[in-house]
Amino acid sequence: MEEYDDIRQGVRALCAHYDAAYWRGVDEARGFPEAFVRALTEAGWLGAMIPAEYGGSGLGLSEASVILEEVNRCGGNSGTVHGQMYNLFTLVRHGSQAQKDHFLPRLASGELRLQSMGVTEPTTGTDTTRIKTTAVRRGDRYVVNGQKVWISRVQHSDLMILLARTTPLAEVARKTEGMSIFLVDLREAIGHGMEVRPIANMVNHETNELFFDNLELPADSLIGEEGKGFRYILDGLNAERTLIAAECIGDGRWFVERARSYAGERQVFGRPIGQNQGVQFPIAEAHIEVEAADLMRWRACREYDAGVAAGASANMAKYLAAKASWEAANVCLQTHGGFGFACEYDVERKFRETRLYQVAPISTNLILSYVAEHLLGLPRSF
Ligand SMILES: Cc1cc2nc3c(=O)[nH]c(=O)nc-3n(C[C@H](O)[C@H](O)[C@H](O)COP(=O)(O)OP(=O)(O)OC[C@H]3O[C@@H](n4cnc5c(N)ncnc54)[C@H](O)[C@@H]3O)c2cc1C
């Protein structure tokens, strides 16, 4: 039996109502799986990591990772909902008591959604410490100016965590200092200093450019201490990377199963294509890679839940799982031959969806750079 079988069965039962045709329809329409997200919330799965005293289930990262893995393994796209799982960390860990009392029960009940996090900027990209969006304190408000790019699920979120510079780079001792995070109420911000422009893109991942022109935020939107926002964001990244790794494991298992099943059924030259070792070996290899990556995902989950440093495992799990799911996607597509390109087989959709995880939320090169510098002690390159 697999770990957390009860959670797996529960999520699978819910996902059974949102079958391949549902996800294909959402993808074709470039829509949002509203019914699925509502059902996942009402069943309590999206509030899994909200502490019980605020109406959530108070579960750990391990359990949360199983929920997202199963959504993808059932053929869905947890990229539509995963933001809330990891954005919560920031609020739970660094939010004030008043913020937690106000927002967490509403997030647990589904009254509010916290699906968005605004970090990336068009001119600075991965070099986050050089972000140009500023938040300047004026009396009981912060005034925000600047631009973000690739910010996801803004149209289906009520709240967004925003990273902005509160002290100019030239005035801080270390470039990681002087940035702060804010909980932006999107319902009030959009149209009043914040503009949202969708970016047409390869996957059905609702993602946007954001423009801030004197957006005013109440001072109590600040999360934690002013100037420590970058540290808070980093703090949440290990959880985010581990959850994404689990999603990739879910994708990887979906691809392997689809390839296995098609290879057993499809007859060419009078026998199943899976009888040819040239077809079966790549599927076996994909299976091995996915299962190996899963071991690192569990190491990351356990370290995180035990409260010990999980940075190394979380980064390596994300790297291995994103690579394994992408390789499995390739194998699955190849196994299906021309039919892999037909939308009704869902392979091309999942193929596009899993490709994202080599780039976002952190690109593969940046993980390699982390490992080289922080784990192997090689010289810092940037
Ligand atoms: C669909 C989608 C959804 C997203 N959602 C969000 C979101 O909700 N919130 C958010 O804040 N961001 C989001 N992102 C942004 C995402 O996190 C970034 O795209 C990603 O971190 C890479 O940044 P970049 O695109 O600016 O690439 P760049 O920084 O311009 O880098 C381009 C390439 O160069 C490589 N590179 C850059 N510098 C180095 C170096 N020093 N050494 C080696 N290689 C290097 C990178 O690895 C990358 O492959 C999303 C992106 C996409 C595509």
Side-chain angles (χ1 to χ4, degrees):
M1 189 192 286
E2 286 185 277
E3 290 184 85
Y4 300 104
D5 194 53
D6 48 343
I7 296 179
R8 290 184 192 280
Q9 295 306 333
V11 178
R12 276 178 207 168
L14 186 146
C15 288
H17 298 288
Y18 303 93
D19 59 6
Y22 174 81
W23 287 102
R24 205 179 306 136
V26 168
D27 183 63
E28 279 166 13
R30 285 294 196 251
F32 186 78
E34 184 60 42
F36 166 76
V37 177
R38 207 174 314 120
L40 202 68
T41 310
E42 282 166 9
W45 297 118
L46 261 195
M49 297 195 70
I50 298 178
E53 66 263 38
Y54 298 105
S57 317
L59 299 173
L61 188 66
S62 301
E63 290 89 343
S65 79
V66 170
I67 295 167
L68 297 182
E69 176 198 336
E70 285 300 327
V71 170
N72 280 24
R73 190 175 180 176
C74 292
N77 177 11
S78 53
T80 53
V81 288
H82 61 191
Q84 178 139 319
M85 287 274 198
Y86 50 73
N87 290 332
L88 273 172
F89 289 101
T90 314
L91 196 54
V92 171
R93 288 198 168 185
H94 306 292
S96 66
Q97 195 56 51
Q99 285 169 331
K100 288 196 270 197
D101 287 343
H102 182 75
F103 291 109
L104 291 178
R106 289 173 171 79
L107 291 170
S109 72
E111 182 189 332
L112 292 178
R113 287 180 184 165
L114 171 55
Q115 287 285 4
S116 296
M117 177 166 69
V119 173
T120 310
E121 296 196 0
T123 58
T124 48
T126 311
D127 195 359
T128 308
T129 58
R130 293 192 191 278
I131 57 166
K132 293 176 184 155
T133 297
T134 55
V136 177
R137 179 88 190 235
R138 290 211 191 112
D140 63 350
R141 324 230 96 194
Y142 281 92
V143 180
V144 180
N145 280 288
Q147 196 180 335
K148 297 279 172 188
V149 71
W150 298 118
I151 310 309
S152 303
R153 297 166 298 270
V154 176
Q155 290 88 341
H156 288 88
S157 191
D158 303 293
L159 305 165
M160 173 179 74
I161 289 175
L162 175 71
L163 182 73
R165 195 159 261 296
T166 37
T167 307
L169 192 55
E171 294 172 24
V172 290
R174 299 169 57 150
K175 61 183 183 177
T176 51
E177 293 167 4
M179 285 174 278
S180 304
I181 49 171
F182 299 89
L183 192 60
V184 178
D185 190 328
L186 292 167
R187 298 162 302 172
E188 288 174 9
I190 296 173
H192 300 96
M194 176 178 162
E195 193 196 330
V196 183
R197 285 189 210 154
I199 304 173
N201 69 94
M202 165 180 159
V203 266
N204 181 29
H205 202 102
E206 184 185 273
T207 194
N208 307 277
E209 282 183 286
L210 307 182
F211 299 87
F212 302 100
D213 182 10
N214 289 318
L215 169 70
E216 293 194 9
L217 298 177
D220 65 3
S221 315
L222 178 72
I223 298 179
E225 272 182 61
E226 188 182 298
K228 296 201 170 153
F230 187 69
R231 188 163 66 75
Y232 300 152
I233 292 279
L234 284 188
D235 200 27
L237 290 186
N238 291 335
E240 183 189 57
R241 282 167 201 176
T242 307
L243 290 175
I244 301 280
E247 292 175 44
C248 291
I249 298 294
D251 279 342
R253 289 184 169 147
W254 185 91
F255 286 121
V256 169
E257 174 49 28
R258 277 305 174 96
R260 185 201 67 76
S261 138
Y262 188 79
E265 287 165 13
R266 171 75 172 163
Q267 301 271 336
V268 182
F269 294 108
R271 57 189 180 155
I273 55 170
Q275 202 173 327
N276 304 298
Q277 290 187 328
V279 173
Q280 62 179 229
F281 281 10
I283 302 172
E285 198 175 8
H287 176 68
I288 292 168
E289 302 279 356
V290 170
E291 295 308 308
D294 194 39
L295 297 177
M296 187 62 81
R297 163 270 186 103
W298 282 114
R299 194 170 107 177
C301 283
R302 295 208 170 97
E303 287 175 356
Y304 193 92
D305 285 337
V308 301
S313 304
N315 274 288
M316 292 192 291
K318 158 74 168 59
Y319 172 87
L320 289 169
K323 193 159 170 267
S325 73
W326 174 236
E327 282 165 5
N330 257 323
V331 167
C332 188
L333 191 96
Q334 194 70 18
T335 304
H336 279 75
F339 289 104
F341 290 80
C343 297
E344 68 170 296
Y345 281 76
D346 301 304
V347 177
E348 62 82 33
R349 172 175 64 81
K350 296 282 284 177
F351 179 93
R352 287 183 277 116
E353 287 169 0
T354 215
R355 182 62 181 84
L356 174 64
Y357 298 124
Q358 305 248 345
V359 171
I362 183 180
S363 71
T364 301
N365 273 2
L366 269 288
I367 294 184
L368 294 174
S369 156
Y370 170 90
V371 171
E373 184 187 329
H374 295 283
L375 305 188
L376 304 179
L378 289 163
R380 186 175 175 78
S381 73
F382 54 86

